[in-house]
């Protein structure tokens, strides 16, 4: 595939979670202090471990991760 690094498939997504949060640039918006990090993080079931939730909270970000063992989707089309 063009444009995709050769190493892209070697890492589990959750291992890149914390470096991603750290790499978020300041967010422009209203006047005043710039937001340095997002307030909320939405992720799929692959991040559903308390270890990752605690790591995200350490950056003062509220995690909303999909829970393992629950139903998929909204139920439409069933």
């Amino acid at each position: 595939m063009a444009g995709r690094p050769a190493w892209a498939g070697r890492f589990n997504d959750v291992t890149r979670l914390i470096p991603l949060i750290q790499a978020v640039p300041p967010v422009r918006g209203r006047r005043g202090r710039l937001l340095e990090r997002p307030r909320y993080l939405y992720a799929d079931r692959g991040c559903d471990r308390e270890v990752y939730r605690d790591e995200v909270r350490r950056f003062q970000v509220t995690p909303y991760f999909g829970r393992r063992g629950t139903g998929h989707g909204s139920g439409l089309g069933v």
Side-chain angles (χ1 to χ4, degrees), residues 2-20:
R4 182 176 172 179
W7 50 265
R10 294 185 190 167
F11 299 108
N12 189 348
D13 290 343
V14 77
T15 61
R16 301 281 142 214
L17 180 64
I18 300 305
L20 176 68

Side-chain angles (χ1 to χ4, degrees), residues 6-70:
W7 50 265
R10 294 185 190 167
F11 299 108
N12 189 348
D13 290 343
V14 77
T15 61
R16 301 281 142 214
L17 180 64
I18 300 305
L20 176 68
I21 292 173
Q22 291 172 336
V24 172
V27 179
R28 292 183 175 260
R30 296 181 180 170
R31 287 192 293 182
R33 205 168 115 213
L34 294 175
L35 287 175
E36 294 183 11
R37 293 207 167 68
R39 293 182 186 157
Y40 308 104
L41 177 68
Y42 293 88
D44 62 5
R45 298 162 193 247
C47 298
D48 187 29
R49 297 267 194 267
E50 199 59 39
V51 174
Y52 303 126
R53 291 176 185 275
D54 291 342
E55 285 288 320
V56 170
R57 286 186 191 114
R58 195 179 67 160
F59 290 100
Q60 298 172 350
V61 176
T62 305
Y64 289 99
F65 296 164
R67 294 283 183 176
R68 292 179 186 258
T70 60

